[in-house]
Amino acid sequence: VIDNLNFAVENMARTLRVGSRYHCGESGTLTTTQDCVNGDDFIAFRNIQSGDITTAFRRNVDDNGVGFIERANTCSTSCSEWLRVTAPEINVNFLSFYTKGSGEVDGSQAQILMITNGTAGKGNIKTDFNIQTTVTQRLSDS
Protein backbone atom coordinates (compact mmCIF):
# COMPACT_ATOMS: atom_id res chain seq x y z
CA VAL A 1 0.00 0.00 0.00
CA ILE A 2 2.80 2.42 0.87
CA ASP A 3 4.57 1.52 -2.40
CA ASN A 4 1.40 2.50 -4.27
CA LEU A 5 1.29 5.82 -2.41
CA ASN A 6 4.97 6.49 -3.14
CA PHE A 7 4.47 5.63 -6.80
CA ALA A 8 1.39 7.88 -7.11
CA VAL A 9 3.11 10.91 -5.55
CA GLU A 10 6.34 10.39 -7.52
CA ASN A 11 4.40 9.98 -10.77
CA MET A 12 2.46 13.20 -10.12
CA ALA A 13 5.67 15.10 -9.31
CA ARG A 14 7.49 13.77 -12.37
CA THR A 15 4.58 14.58 -14.69
CA LEU A 16 4.16 18.08 -13.23
CA ARG A 17 7.91 18.76 -13.50
CA VAL A 18 7.91 18.39 -17.30
CA GLY A 19 4.61 20.19 -17.80
CA SER A 20 3.69 23.77 -18.66
CA ARG A 21 0.63 26.07 -18.66
CA TYR A 22 -0.29 25.20 -15.06
CA HIS A 23 -3.86 25.98 -14.06
CA CYS A 24 -4.62 25.57 -10.35
CA GLY A 25 -8.31 25.26 -9.39
CA GLU A 26 -11.29 24.21 -11.47
CA SER A 27 -12.54 27.74 -12.17
CA GLY A 28 -11.69 29.49 -15.41
CA THR A 29 -10.35 28.06 -18.65
CA LEU A 30 -8.15 25.03 -17.98
CA THR A 31 -5.79 25.82 -20.86
CA THR A 32 -5.06 29.30 -19.44
CA THR A 33 -2.42 29.62 -16.73
CA GLN A 34 -3.64 30.37 -13.21
CA ASP A 35 -1.62 30.58 -9.99
CA CYS A 36 -3.07 29.34 -6.75
CA VAL A 37 -1.38 30.91 -3.73
CA ASN A 38 -4.12 29.70 -1.35
CA GLY A 39 -4.05 26.13 -2.64
CA ASP A 40 -6.62 23.92 -4.33
CA ASP A 41 -7.17 20.17 -4.70
CA PHE A 42 -7.21 20.40 -8.52
CA ILE A 43 -4.44 21.17 -11.01
CA ALA A 44 -4.43 20.99 -14.81
CA PHE A 45 -1.41 21.50 -17.07
CA ARG A 46 -0.04 20.87 -20.54
CA ASN A 47 1.61 17.47 -20.46
CA ILE A 48 4.82 17.50 -22.50
CA GLN A 49 4.95 13.69 -22.38
CA SER A 50 1.62 13.53 -24.27
CA GLY A 51 2.13 16.41 -26.65
CA ASP A 52 -0.20 19.37 -26.39
CA ILE A 53 -2.80 17.55 -24.26
CA THR A 54 -3.90 18.92 -20.90
CA THR A 55 -3.63 16.51 -17.95
CA ALA A 56 -5.16 17.04 -14.50
CA PHE A 57 -4.89 15.66 -10.97
CA ARG A 58 -7.47 16.05 -8.21
CA ARG A 59 -8.74 14.60 -4.95
CA ASN A 60 -12.10 12.89 -5.07
CA VAL A 61 -14.21 10.90 -2.60
CA ASP A 62 -15.89 7.53 -3.27
CA ASP A 63 -19.34 6.40 -2.08
CA ASN A 64 -17.83 5.12 1.19
CA GLY A 65 -16.28 8.49 2.04
CA VAL A 66 -12.73 7.38 1.18
CA GLY A 67 -10.62 10.10 -0.42
CA PHE A 68 -8.39 9.24 -3.35
CA ILE A 69 -6.24 10.86 -6.03
CA GLU A 70 -7.23 10.59 -9.66
CA ARG A 71 -5.87 11.66 -13.03
CA ALA A 72 -7.50 12.73 -16.28
CA ASN A 73 -5.44 12.68 -19.47
CA THR A 74 -7.76 14.54 -21.83
CA CYS A 75 -8.90 17.92 -20.57
CA SER A 76 -9.91 21.01 -22.55
CA THR A 77 -12.84 23.01 -21.17
CA SER A 78 -13.42 20.20 -18.67
CA CYS A 79 -11.91 16.82 -17.85
CA SER A 80 -13.31 13.39 -18.56
CA GLU A 81 -12.24 9.79 -18.08
CA TRP A 82 -10.78 10.14 -14.60
CA LEU A 83 -8.59 7.23 -13.47
CA ARG A 84 -7.90 6.42 -9.82
CA VAL A 85 -4.16 6.43 -9.06
CA THR A 86 -4.20 5.49 -5.37
CA ALA A 87 -5.16 2.08 -3.99
CA PRO A 88 -8.50 1.56 -2.18
CA GLU A 89 -6.53 0.99 1.05
CA ILE A 90 -5.32 4.60 0.93
CA ASN A 91 -7.60 7.31 2.32
CA VAL A 92 -6.45 10.73 1.13
CA ASN A 93 -7.89 13.19 3.65
CA PHE A 94 -6.22 16.27 2.15
CA LEU A 95 -4.56 17.18 -1.14
CA SER A 96 -3.60 20.69 -2.09
CA PHE A 97 -1.55 22.24 -4.87
CA TYR A 98 -0.03 25.71 -4.40
CA THR A 99 1.32 27.24 -7.62
CA LYS A 100 3.25 30.37 -8.48
CA GLY A 101 4.95 31.52 -11.67
CA SER A 102 2.57 29.56 -13.88
CA GLY A 103 2.70 32.11 -16.71
CA GLU A 104 4.76 30.98 -19.70
CA VAL A 105 6.52 34.30 -20.28
CA ASP A 106 6.73 35.72 -16.75
CA GLY A 107 10.48 35.12 -16.50
CA SER A 108 10.28 32.62 -13.63
CA GLN A 109 10.02 28.86 -13.54
CA ALA A 110 6.67 27.62 -12.26
CA GLN A 111 6.75 26.08 -8.79
CA ILE A 112 4.14 23.73 -7.43
CA LEU A 113 3.99 22.79 -3.75
CA MET A 114 1.99 19.60 -3.29
CA ILE A 115 0.77 18.60 0.18
CA THR A 116 -1.21 15.48 1.01
CA ASN A 117 -2.10 13.52 4.12
CA GLY A 118 -4.28 10.63 5.12
CA THR A 119 -4.08 6.99 6.20
CA ALA A 120 -2.79 3.88 4.48
CA GLY A 121 -3.59 0.32 5.42
CA LYS A 122 -6.45 -2.06 6.05
CA GLY A 123 -8.37 -3.13 9.13
CA ASN A 124 -6.53 -2.40 12.38
CA ILE A 125 -3.19 -1.89 10.64
CA LYS A 126 -3.23 1.70 9.40
CA THR A 127 -0.45 4.25 9.11
CA ASP A 128 -0.89 8.00 8.96
CA PHE A 129 1.05 9.80 6.26
CA ASN A 130 1.97 13.42 5.60
CA ILE A 131 3.76 14.15 2.33
CA GLN A 132 5.00 17.49 1.06
CA THR A 133 7.02 18.01 -2.10
CA THR A 134 7.93 20.97 -4.24
CA VAL A 135 8.15 20.61 -8.00
CA THR A 136 9.93 23.14 -10.21
CA GLN A 137 9.12 23.25 -13.90
CA ARG A 138 11.94 21.78 -15.94
CA LEU A 139 11.24 23.81 -19.11
CA SER A 140 12.54 27.35 -19.25
CA ASP A 141 10.22 30.32 -19.66
CA SER A 142 10.69 32.26 -22.86
Side-chain angles (χ1 to χ4, degrees), residues 10-40:
E10 179 60 30
N11 180 268
M12 288 183 352
R14 187 177 329 112
T15 307
L16 284 163
R17 186 176 298 115
V18 294
S20 65
R21 295 187 200 152
Y22 302 96
H23 180 93
C24 187
E26 292 187 74
S27 65
T29 305
L30 298 183
T31 55
T32 304
T33 61
Q34 179 171 295
D35 283 344
C36 198
V37 295
N38 294 322
D40 199 283

mmCIF file of all heavy atoms in Angstrom, residues 10-40:
data_model
loop_
_atom_site.group_PDB
_atom_site.id
_atom_site.type_symbol
_atom_site.label_atom_id
_atom_site.label_comp_id
_atom_site.label_asym_id
_atom_site.label_seq_id
_atom_site.Cartn_x
_atom_site.Cartn_y
_atom_site.Cartn_z
ATOM 1 N N GLU A 10 5.179 10.209 -6.641
ATOM 2 C CA GLU A 10 6.336 10.385 -7.521
ATOM 3 C C GLU A 10 5.909 10.574 -8.976
ATOM 4 O O GLU A 10 6.461 11.407 -9.693
ATOM 5 C CB GLU A 10 7.291 9.193 -7.408
ATOM 6 C CG GLU A 10 8.504 9.279 -8.311
ATOM 7 C CD GLU A 10 9.385 10.500 -8.049
ATOM 8 O OE1 GLU A 10 9.440 10.981 -6.898
ATOM 9 O OE2 GLU A 10 10.008 10.997 -9.004
ATOM 10 N N ASN A 11 4.904 9.831 -9.408
ATOM 11 C CA ASN A 11 4.401 9.975 -10.770
ATOM 12 C C ASN A 11 3.791 11.354 -10.993
ATOM 13 O O ASN A 11 4.019 11.987 -12.033
ATOM 14 C CB ASN A 11 3.373 8.885 -11.076
ATOM 15 C CG ASN A 11 2.832 8.993 -12.473
ATOM 16 O OD1 ASN A 11 1.811 9.647 -12.693
ATOM 17 N ND2 ASN A 11 3.517 8.367 -13.422
ATOM 18 N N MET A 12 3.034 11.853 -10.007
ATOM 19 C CA MET A 12 2.462 13.195 -10.120
ATOM 20 C C MET A 12 3.572 14.234 -10.197
ATOM 21 O O MET A 12 3.540 15.123 -11.054
ATOM 22 C CB MET A 12 1.538 13.491 -8.931
ATOM 23 C CG MET A 12 0.261 12.725 -9.002
ATOM 24 S SD MET A 12 -0.983 13.035 -7.715
ATOM 25 C CE MET A 12 -0.264 14.038 -6.521
ATOM 26 N N ALA A 13 4.568 14.130 -9.331
ATOM 27 C CA ALA A 13 5.669 15.100 -9.308
ATOM 28 C C ALA A 13 6.441 15.073 -10.618
ATOM 29 O O ALA A 13 6.761 16.123 -11.189
ATOM 30 C CB ALA A 13 6.601 14.810 -8.133
ATOM 31 N N ARG A 14 6.733 13.894 -11.130
ATOM 32 C CA ARG A 14 7.493 13.769 -12.375
ATOM 33 C C ARG A 14 6.700 14.354 -13.556
ATOM 34 O O ARG A 14 7.251 15.058 -14.397
ATOM 35 C CB ARG A 14 7.811 12.292 -12.648
ATOM 36 C CG ARG A 14 8.729 12.066 -13.813
ATOM 37 C CD ARG A 14 9.097 10.597 -14.040
ATOM 38 N NE ARG A 14 9.140 9.783 -12.848
ATOM 39 C CZ ARG A 14 8.274 8.796 -12.584
ATOM 40 N NH1 ARG A 14 7.313 8.509 -13.426
ATOM 41 N NH2 ARG A 14 8.389 8.093 -11.482
ATOM 42 N N THR A 15 5.413 14.073 -13.611
ATOM 43 C CA THR A 15 4.578 14.576 -14.693
ATOM 44 C C THR A 15 4.435 16.094 -14.616
ATOM 45 O O THR A 15 4.509 16.787 -15.633
ATOM 46 C CB THR A 15 3.194 13.902 -14.668
ATOM 47 O OG1 THR A 15 3.369 12.482 -14.664
ATOM 48 C CG2 THR A 15 2.372 14.281 -15.884
ATOM 49 N N LEU A 16 4.248 16.626 -13.413
ATOM 50 C CA LEU A 16 4.156 18.076 -13.232
ATOM 51 C C LEU A 16 5.464 18.772 -13.604
ATOM 52 O O LEU A 16 5.462 19.841 -14.204
ATOM 53 C CB LEU A 16 3.800 18.417 -11.783
ATOM 54 C CG LEU A 16 2.354 18.203 -11.369
ATOM 55 C CD1 LEU A 16 2.225 18.175 -9.855
ATOM 56 C CD2 LEU A 16 1.465 19.276 -11.969
ATOM 57 N N ARG A 17 6.586 18.156 -13.267
ATOM 58 C CA ARG A 17 7.907 18.758 -13.501
ATOM 59 C C ARG A 17 8.137 19.058 -14.978
ATOM 60 O O ARG A 17 8.755 20.050 -15.326
ATOM 61 C CB ARG A 17 8.999 17.826 -12.974
ATOM 62 C CG ARG A 17 10.391 18.394 -13.034
ATOM 63 C CD ARG A 17 11.423 17.461 -12.399
ATOM 64 N NE ARG A 17 11.139 17.259 -10.985
ATOM 65 C CZ ARG A 17 10.799 16.088 -10.437
ATOM 66 N NH1 ARG A 17 10.707 14.997 -11.170
ATOM 67 N NH2 ARG A 17 10.555 16.000 -9.149
ATOM 68 N N VAL A 18 7.673 18.195 -15.867
ATOM 69 C CA VAL A 18 7.913 18.395 -17.299
ATOM 70 C C VAL A 18 6.697 18.989 -18.003
ATOM 71 O O VAL A 18 6.600 18.959 -19.225
ATOM 72 C CB VAL A 18 8.357 17.081 -17.994
ATOM 73 C CG1 VAL A 18 9.706 16.654 -17.472
ATOM 74 C CG2 VAL A 18 7.317 15.991 -17.845
ATOM 75 N N GLY A 19 5.782 19.555 -17.229
ATOM 76 C CA GLY A 19 4.606 20.189 -17.799
ATOM 77 C C GLY A 19 4.797 21.672 -18.035
ATOM 78 O O GLY A 19 5.875 22.227 -17.834
ATOM 79 N N SER A 20 3.728 22.315 -18.487
ATOM 80 C CA SER A 20 3.689 23.772 -18.660
ATOM 81 C C SER A 20 2.222 24.203 -18.627
ATOM 82 O O SER A 20 1.322 23.369 -18.542
ATOM 83 C CB SER A 20 4.351 24.182 -19.985
ATOM 84 O OG SER A 20 3.612 23.692 -21.077
ATOM 85 N N ARG A 21 1.987 25.499 -18.684
ATOM 86 C CA ARG A 21 0.628 26.068 -18.659
ATOM 87 C C ARG A 21 -0.181 25.538 -17.468
ATOM 88 O O ARG A 21 -1.282 25.040 -17.619
ATOM 89 C CB ARG A 21 -0.133 25.764 -19.951
ATOM 90 C CG ARG A 21 0.451 26.391 -21.163
ATOM 91 C CD ARG A 21 -0.454 26.176 -22.361
ATOM 92 N NE ARG A 21 0.296 26.358 -23.574
ATOM 93 C CZ ARG A 21 0.015 25.766 -24.716
ATOM 94 N NH1 ARG A 21 -1.014 24.968 -24.813
ATOM 95 N NH2 ARG A 21 0.755 25.983 -25.771
ATOM 96 N N TYR A 22 0.359 25.697 -16.275
ATOM 97 C CA TYR A 22 -0.287 25.199 -15.064
ATOM 98 C C TYR A 22 -1.520 26.030 -14.734
ATOM 99 O O TYR A 22 -1.486 27.250 -14.742
ATOM 100 C CB TYR A 22 0.695 25.237 -13.893
ATOM 101 C CG TYR A 22 1.935 24.424 -14.160
ATOM 102 C CD1 TYR A 22 3.091 25.023 -14.645
ATOM 103 C CD2 TYR A 22 1.943 23.054 -13.943
ATOM 104 C CE1 TYR A 22 4.225 24.278 -14.905
ATOM 105 C CE2 TYR A 22 3.073 22.298 -14.204
ATOM 106 C CZ TYR A 22 4.208 22.912 -14.682
ATOM 107 O OH TYR A 22 5.323 22.176 -14.945
ATOM 108 N N HIS A 23 -2.602 25.333 -14.424
ATOM 109 C CA HIS A 23 -3.857 25.981 -14.059
ATOM 110 C C HIS A 23 -4.336 25.344 -12.759
ATOM 111 O O HIS A 23 -4.787 24.199 -12.743
ATOM 112 C CB HIS A 23 -4.909 25.779 -15.165
ATOM 113 C CG HIS A 23 -6.217 26.423 -14.846
ATOM 114 N ND1 HIS A 23 -6.521 27.690 -15.271
ATOM 115 C CD2 HIS A 23 -7.267 25.988 -14.128
ATOM 116 C CE1 HIS A 23 -7.729 27.996 -14.843
ATOM 117 N NE2 HIS A 23 -8.198 26.981 -14.137
ATOM 118 N N CYS A 24 -4.221 26.076 -11.670
ATOM 119 C CA CYS A 24 -4.622 25.575 -10.355
ATOM 120 C C CYS A 24 -6.062 25.972 -10.068
ATOM 121 O O CYS A 24 -6.436 27.131 -10.224
ATOM 122 C CB CYS A 24 -3.679 26.132 -9.284
ATOM 123 S SG CYS A 24 -3.954 25.440 -7.653
ATOM 124 N N GLY A 25 -6.893 25.019 -9.666
ATOM 125 C CA GLY A 25 -8.305 25.263 -9.394
ATOM 126 C C GLY A 25 -9.156 24.958 -10.607
ATOM 127 O O GLY A 25 -8.701 25.053 -11.739
ATOM 128 N N GLU A 26 -10.416 24.591 -10.367
ATOM 129 C CA GLU A 26 -11.292 24.206 -11.471
ATOM 130 C C GLU A 26 -11.989 25.388 -12.133
ATOM 131 O O GLU A 26 -12.629 25.213 -13.166
ATOM 132 C CB GLU A 26 -12.331 23.194 -10.993
ATOM 133 C CG GLU A 26 -11.707 21.858 -10.632
ATOM 134 C CD GLU A 26 -12.726 20.795 -10.311
ATOM 135 O OE1 GLU A 26 -13.362 20.298 -11.255
ATOM 136 O OE2 GLU A 26 -12.885 20.477 -9.121
ATOM 137 N N SER A 27 -11.872 26.583 -11.568
ATOM 138 C CA SER A 27 -12.538 27.738 -12.169
ATOM 139 C C SER A 27 -11.717 28.273 -13.343
ATOM 140 O O SER A 27 -10.506 28.095 -13.402
ATOM 141 C CB SER A 27 -12.737 28.845 -11.130
ATOM 142 O OG SER A 27 -11.482 29.335 -10.715
ATOM 143 N N GLY A 28 -12.387 28.904 -14.272
ATOM 144 C CA GLY A 28 -11.695 29.490 -15.411
ATOM 145 C C GLY A 28 -11.439 28.477 -16.517
ATOM 146 O O GLY A 28 -11.897 27.345 -16.474
ATOM 147 N N THR A 29 -10.691 28.906 -17.515
ATOM 148 C CA THR A 29 -10.351 28.064 -18.652
ATOM 149 C C THR A 29 -9.113 27.243 -18.322
ATOM 150 O O THR A 29 -8.061 27.800 -18.008
ATOM 151 C CB THR A 29 -10.081 28.941 -19.903
ATOM 152 O OG1 THR A 29 -11.222 29.772 -20.126
ATOM 153 C CG2 THR A 29 -9.824 28.088 -21.129
ATOM 154 N N LEU A 30 -9.233 25.925 -18.411
ATOM 155 C CA LEU A 30 -8.149 25.034 -17.978
ATOM 156 C C LEU A 30 -6.879 25.188 -18.795
ATOM 157 O O LEU A 30 -5.795 24.888 -18.312
ATOM 158 C CB LEU A 30 -8.611 23.580 -18.025
ATOM 159 C CG LEU A 30 -9.773 23.208 -17.114
ATOM 160 C CD1 LEU A 30 -10.064 21.715 -17.228
ATOM 161 C CD2 LEU A 30 -9.511 23.604 -15.677
ATOM 162 N N THR A 31 -6.980 25.665 -20.022
ATOM 163 C CA THR A 31 -5.794 25.817 -20.859
ATOM 164 C C THR A 31 -5.118 27.171 -20.668
ATOM 165 O O THR A 31 -4.116 27.465 -21.307
ATOM 166 C CB THR A 31 -6.153 25.612 -22.346
ATOM 167 O OG1 THR A 31 -7.214 26.516 -22.691
ATOM 168 C CG2 THR A 31 -6.591 24.169 -22.604
ATOM 169 N N THR A 32 -5.650 28.002 -19.783
ATOM 170 C CA THR A 32 -5.061 29.301 -19.440
ATOM 171 C C THR A 32 -4.360 29.174 -18.098
ATOM 172 O O THR A 32 -4.890 28.572 -17.165
ATOM 173 C CB THR A 32 -6.156 30.383 -19.347
ATOM 174 O OG1 THR A 32 -6.871 30.428 -20.575
ATOM 175 C CG2 THR A 32 -5.566 31.735 -19.046
ATOM 176 N N THR A 33 -3.163 29.741 -17.986
ATOM 177 C CA THR A 33 -2.419 29.619 -16.725
ATOM 178 C C THR A 33 -3.139 30.336 -15.584
ATOM 179 O O THR A 33 -3.791 31.356 -15.788
ATOM 180 C CB THR A 33 -0.995 30.182 -16.865
ATOM 181 O OG1 THR A 33 -1.070 31.560 -17.192
ATOM 182 C CG2 THR A 33 -0.208 29.437 -17.922
ATOM 183 N N GLN A 34 -3.017 29.765 -14.392
ATOM 184 C CA GLN A 34 -3.643 30.365 -13.211
ATOM 185 C C GLN A 34 -2.895 29.911 -11.965
ATOM 186 O O GLN A 34 -2.840 28.726 -11.669
ATOM 187 C CB GLN A 34 -5.114 29.936 -13.138
ATOM 188 C CG GLN A 34 -5.860 30.485 -11.935
ATOM 189 C CD GLN A 34 -7.352 30.196 -12.039
ATOM 190 O OE1 GLN A 34 -8.012 30.706 -12.932
ATOM 191 N NE2 GLN A 34 -7.865 29.367 -11.153
ATOM 192 N N ASP A 35 -2.287 30.876 -11.258
ATOM 193 C CA ASP A 35 -1.621 30.581 -9.993
ATOM 194 C C ASP A 35 -2.652 30.302 -8.914
ATOM 195 O O ASP A 35 -3.830 30.648 -9.046
ATOM 196 C CB ASP A 35 -0.738 31.751 -9.561
ATOM 197 C CG ASP A 35 0.579 31.815 -10.325
ATOM 198 O OD1 ASP A 35 0.942 30.814 -10.958
ATOM 199 O OD2 ASP A 35 1.231 32.865 -10.278
ATOM 200 N N CYS A 36 -2.180 29.713 -7.841
ATOM 201 C CA CYS A 36 -3.069 29.339 -6.755
ATOM 202 C C CYS A 36 -2.294 29.466 -5.443
ATOM 203 O O CYS A 36 -1.776 28.483 -4.921
ATOM 204 C CB CYS A 36 -3.525 27.902 -6.990
ATOM 205 S SG CYS A 36 -4.959 27.407 -6.083
ATOM 206 N N VAL A 37 -2.185 30.686 -4.936
ATOM 207 C CA VAL A 37 -1.385 30.913 -3.729
ATOM 208 C C VAL A 37 -2.066 30.395 -2.469
ATOM 209 O O VAL A 37 -1.410 30.145 -1.465
ATOM 210 C CB VAL A 37 -1.009 32.403 -3.570
ATOM 211 C CG1 VAL A 37 -0.090 32.844 -4.694
ATOM 212 C CG2 VAL A 37 -2.240 33.275 -3.505
ATOM 213 N N ASN A 38 -3.396 30.214 -2.509
ATOM 214 C CA ASN A 38 -4.117 29.704 -1.349
ATOM 215 C C ASN A 38 -4.363 28.201 -1.421
ATOM 216 O O ASN A 38 -4.965 27.634 -0.519
ATOM 217 C CB ASN A 38 -5.449 30.434 -1.185
ATOM 218 C CG ASN A 38 -5.243 31.895 -0.848
ATOM 219 O OD1 ASN A 38 -4.344 32.231 -0.094
ATOM 220 N ND2 ASN A 38 -6.047 32.757 -1.427
ATOM 221 N N GLY A 39 -3.930 27.574 -2.496
ATOM 222 C CA GLY A 39 -4.054 26.130 -2.642
ATOM 223 C C GLY A 39 -5.403 25.687 -3.153
ATOM 224 O O GLY A 39 -6.415 26.361 -2.975
ATOM 225 N N ASP A 40 -5.405 24.537 -3.815
ATOM 226 C CA ASP A 40 -6.621 23.916 -4.332
ATOM 227 C C ASP A 40 -6.331 22.440 -4.541
ATOM 228 O O ASP A 40 -5.184 22.057 -4.733
ATOM 229 C CB ASP A 40 -7.055 24.570 -5.646
ATOM 230 C CG ASP A 40 -8.508 24.302 -5.976
ATOM 231 O OD1 ASP A 40 -8.798 23.181 -6.432
ATOM 232 O OD2 ASP A 40 -9.347 25.199 -5.772
#
